[in-house]
Amino acid sequence: MNDEQPAMSVRDLGVSGWIMVVLLSIGALLLLRARFTSEASTLRFLIDETMGSDRTADIVPFRDEDARWRAVAGGKPLALSFVGFSSLDPMDRFFVAQRYFRCVYAVFPAAVHVVPAGVIVNDARPLIDNPLNADDSWLRANGIGAHVIVEKAIDGSIDTRVHRAGAATP
Amino acid sequence: MMLGVIYLLIVAGAGYALMRLVDRKLRRDAMERVGLAASLGMTVVPMILFWLAIVGVDVSGRVIWIMGLVAGAVIAWDFLRSSERQKSICWPKLRGAEWVILVIGGALLTWSAAEIASDSLIEGVSIWDAFSIWMLKAKVIAAGGLQPMPAYFHELSLSYSHLDYPLGVPILAAGAFAFTGGEADESLKLPQVLVLIGLVATLMSTLMRFVPVVLAVLLTAIAISSFAVVRFGGSGTADLTMVMMTAALLSRLLAWHHSGHVADAILAGVFAGGAIFTKNEGLAIAVIYVGSFVVAALVARRRSGARTSRGTILIPLVAGATSLAWLIWIAPIPRTHEDYGGRLTIGNVVSNLDRTGEIARSFWSSMSDLGGWGGVWFILPACAVLGIRRFHRRDPAASATIITWSILVLHWLTVVLALIISPWEVREVAGVALDRVLSHSAPCAVTLIAMHLSTMHRSPGA
């Protein structure tokens, strides 16, 4: 290992060295091309073109969803139930897990109760297969602000209802 | 915004102060100093915040201001006492093709760095792992500290996931949140910008020991421009920090291997501890990197009959000391998720050996993605063949090259082993994790390319 600056310069490279440098440069160009076509770059380009470059910073994923979760929770713990989803369906699993983990992140430090005590959630399966039995007395006993029920109908449409203890489900 | 900049300056200042305390006698060029200050800051500040948090001093703006004052005092004391001049970077006069290489490397480096930085500062926390694991932990720490241990870590009925993941990245994010007092999504990812600076400067300074600066720019650009690094670099996961840790650890180990300076051994130990505090696989990475260099040093000393270098003891000692509190604190936390350590049994390995075909296909699929890696995994073996002289015994740097190759191979074998025993379906986990895991070894790969390139010069008479 050379402790100081390397003695050689690029001009001192032999044929094999130059071949490697050319290949590295081509590799760098391929990566540069990938930058131009990346998902984020394309999205920014589309937003710039359609909404103006000043709106790019406003398009933050989950911003509206986070605000809705926080508004429903109102700083109190939430109960969350998923009805009509199948733990065998990968799309259902993706939808359910993303909603649950985003909800936990959005309303923290308020807790999100989604499965009975003792059930461990690492992915969507326990969320779907172990629904919470959250009746009004349980909601009141645990100081739950709202019970959010996310229900998938047979036709695939998804309906979200909010139930508060002692109140009719809107 | 201004508070965010001050926070990053305090973190880097703490790193610079520690660097000067550890090695006041060593002369380093500007690139190496920037890299060390940023990466050391990103390593020691979370450790200190964690040590304070577990004895009941919560992460707060006041604690960070005090840390900044202490670092400032050390830097001022060092400035007043120090009279030696630091090395300057030798910037050669460029001609023809060198300009072309510099423009390509510079454009790629600028674009990738800008994309990672803009993701960190603008995009919010939107990648799944970032909000369900890393930045949620940051919120947990910011909300109630670590003493007493928050319900998050032991109340299983609340059903969080990945409880045992290290807190290095989250605690630094919690520091940014507490210091700036801003919105969570806007401040949690702020430290990623300093990680990026630390990674680029550390890698550049390491590579410039082997190849001219234009090639160092090109190789650094390739290392930080893989699909995984750009996609996850500014996302709020711990992957960019892990890449920086491996780059910093390798850099200090190579410096210690070459010079035997105690300061480099201490810093290598700190970065090994930092790797353990960054991701669970950091423990394996620290053992592989430190173990390879220490074993090689012990074997070489035994052959030559010389006394054992102090570094062979210091590096593991410092790594152990800096990570001990974390390893003790994490011990009672339930492993509700992957628990690779617990799954590592001979029976488990043997029963899952049929996964090796799928794992090999996943490796090939990831490495052969030219838009994802720029062909670096093909260029590396080609360089090894064409730069075979680097392995010759007469080359004084041969042992460093062989050790670095051993590290790369051992790192990959560990990844294969993890995939064999993983509780996940192997195709699923390889699909989401393999690119990221490979990106942790990117600093090692480009350093090896630089090592081999350094032997491919024209013979004097040619």
Side-chain angles (χ1 to χ4, degrees):
Chain A
M1 178 180 171
N2 308 311
D3 196 30
E4 306 298 325
Q5 301 292 317
M8 68 168 222
S9 82
V10 177
R11 291 186 291 276
D12 298 328
L13 283 172
V15 175
S16 56
W18 272 109
I19 291 170
M20 288 300 107
V21 170
V22 168
L23 288 175
L24 284 168
S25 302
I26 293 169
L29 287 170
L30 288 169
L31 287 169
L32 194 57
R33 184 182 171 278
R35 292 288 81 76
F36 278 102
T37 54
S38 73
E39 192 183 334
S41 300
T42 310
L43 183 62
R44 281 197 200 106
F45 174 77
L46 285 173
I47 293 167
D48 286 353
E49 288 296 301
T50 55
M51 301 173 73
S53 56
D54 57 321
R55 292 298 308 278
T56 306
D58 292 342
I59 312 299
V60 177
F62 297 114
R63 178 174 283 180
D64 293 344
E65 183 178 334
D66 287 358
R68 282 198 295 273
W69 285 123
R70 287 191 197 109
V72 169
K76 290 182 177 175
L78 267 183
L80 182 59
S81 297
F82 293 96
V83 179
F85 292 90
S86 166
S87 59
L88 300 175
D89 183 337
M91 292 306 290
D92 277 9
R93 290 204 303 267
F94 177 79
F95 177 87
V96 166
Q98 189 165 62
R99 291 288 88 70
Y100 166 68
F101 282 112
R102 190 67 203 187
C103 173
V104 168
Y105 176 77
V107 305
F108 192 88
V112 178
H113 297 263
V114 69
V115 288
V119 175
I120 295 167
V121 174
N122 285 323
D123 55 34
R125 290 178 185 87
L127 294 170
I128 298 170
D129 296 339
N130 300 275
L132 194 64
N133 183 21
D135 55 18
D136 277 7
S137 60
W138 186 88
L139 294 178
R140 274 194 292 271
N142 288 280
I144 305 292
H147 181 197
V148 179
I149 302 150
V150 184
E151 185 163 4
K152 183 181 176 188
I154 294 173
D155 65 1
S157 62
I158 290 170
D159 180 38
T160 303
R161 305 191 308 278
V162 179
H163 173 74
R164 294 181 197 277
T169 303
Chain B
M1 184 64 186
M2 181 55 76
L3 278 175
V5 174
I6 293 171
Y7 177 68
L8 297 186
L9 286 174
I10 288 175
V11 174
Y16 187 82
L18 182 69
M19 176 188 83
R20 295 301 291 158
L21 283 174
V22 171
D23 69 345
R24 294 193 74 242
K25 290 177 185 167
L26 291 186
R27 293 174 68 228
R28 303 185 188 278
D29 66 40
M31 190 67 74
E32 193 172 11
R33 275 180 281 152
V34 169
L36 265 175
S39 48
L40 257 183
M42 298 300 299
T43 307
V44 294
V45 170
M47 285 174 178
I48 294 168
L49 289 175
F50 173 72
W51 296 334
L52 291 173
I54 57 175
V55 296
V57 181
D58 289 351
V59 177
S60 67
R62 192 187 302 172
V63 167
I64 291 157
W65 275 117
I66 292 170
M67 208 180 277
L69 287 174
V70 173
V74 171
I75 292 168
W77 169 79
D78 174 65
F79 181 76
L80 292 173
R81 281 177 57 105
S82 176
S83 57
E84 97 262 34
R85 292 184 57 191
Q86 297 291 338
K87 283 195 297 184
S88 56
I89 296 175
C90 172
W91 191 266
K93 201 171 178 181
L94 303 181
R95 284 193 308 205
E98 288 169 318
W99 276 113
V100 177
I101 299 166
L102 185 64
V103 167
I104 293 171
L108 181 61
L109 188 62
T110 307
W111 187 284
S112 300
E115 193 149 332
I116 293 169
S118 71
D119 277 0
S120 304
L121 299 172
I122 298 170
E123 295 286 329
V125 182
S126 59
I127 297 241
W128 190 318
D129 276 9
F131 65 74
S132 64
I133 304 172
W134 303 102
M135 294 299 113
L136 177 60
K137 285 178 189 292
K139 279 189 164 186
V140 171
I141 296 166
L146 293 174
Q147 187 59 258
M149 187 184 276
Y152 169 91
F153 291 101
H154 56 77
E155 182 52 77
L156 296 183
S157 63
L158 292 176
S159 300
Y160 298 115
S161 183
H162 299 83
L163 305 180
D164 60 332
Y165 272 27
L167 295 178
V169 168
I171 209 162
L172 210 54
F177 186 38
F179 191 79
T180 60
E183 289 290 318
D185 267 24
E186 289 166 4
S187 52
L188 288 176
K189 296 195 296 177
L190 196 61
Q192 305 280 299
V193 178
L194 195 59
V195 176
L196 179 66
I197 294 169
L199 170 61
V200 169
T202 300
L203 211 43
M204 280 279 292
S205 65
T206 306
L207 296 169
M208 281 160 58
R209 290 181 170 133
F210 303 103
V211 290
V213 66
V214 288
L215 292 183
V217 170
L218 182 68
L219 287 168
T220 303
I222 289 171
I224 73 151
S225 300
S226 70
F227 166 78
V229 173
V230 174
R231 177 156 168 72
F232 293 97
S235 71
T237 64
D239 292 289
L240 190 70
T241 311
M242 197 68 235
V243 181
M244 185 204 74
M245 287 295 173
T246 56
L249 178 57
L250 180 64
S251 171
R252 284 312 96 203
L253 286 168
L254 284 168
W256 170 71
H257 178 78
H258 174 74
S259 66
H261 287 138
V262 169
D264 287 319
I266 293 171
L267 294 178
V270 172
F271 286 125
I276 294 168
F277 198 40
T278 300
K279 289 197 85 177
N280 276 343
E281 57 262 48
L283 180 59
I285 285 173
V287 170
I288 289 168
Y289 278 59
V290 171
S292 300
F293 274 93
V294 166
V295 167
L298 289 173
V299 169
R301 296 278 166 175
R302 193 166 182 181
R303 275 189 191 152
S304 65
R307 283 178 56 201
T308 305
S309 160
R310 275 184 291 175
T312 53
I313 298 161
L314 263 177
I315 300 173
L317 197 67
V318 173
T322 50
S323 55
L324 186 65
W326 162 249
L327 295 173
I328 291 172
W329 192 81
I330 196 71
I333 290 176
R335 266 53 170 180
T336 61
H337 210 236
E338 288 109 343
D339 188 20
Y340 284 99
R343 294 181 62 84
L344 184 57
T345 61
I346 292 173
N348 220 352
V349 173
V350 172
S351 63
N352 287 333
L353 272 179
D354 58 335
R355 291 179 170 190
T356 46
E358 187 60 48
I359 293 168
R361 275 190 292 278
S362 298
F363 262 86
W364 171 255
S365 166
S366 179
M367 290 172 152
S368 60
D369 176 8
L370 295 179
W373 284 104
V376 73
W377 301 117
F378 298 111
I379 297 171
L380 174 59
C383 274
V385 172
L386 293 173
I388 196 82
R389 271 183 291 177
R390 191 76 196 188
F391 294 121
H392 284 189
R393 282 193 132 197
R394 274 181 297 175
D395 185 339
S399 65
T401 312
I402 293 165
I403 297 167
T404 312
W405 265 109
S406 310
I407 286 171
L408 188 70
V409 172
L410 286 171
H411 188 162
W412 288 358
L413 287 176
T414 309
V415 174
V416 171
L417 189 61
L419 290 172
I420 286 175
I421 62 170
S422 172
W424 298 97
E425 201 274 308
V426 71
R427 188 181 296 179
E428 191 181 334
V429 70
V432 297
L434 191 54
D435 270 323
R436 277 190 277 173
V437 174
L438 280 175
S439 72
H440 303 161
S441 62
C444 207
V446 293
T447 303
L448 280 168
I449 290 176
M451 285 172 164
H452 288 297
L453 274 177
S454 71
T455 66
M456 295 185 207
H457 45 76
R458 281 178 296 191
S459 51

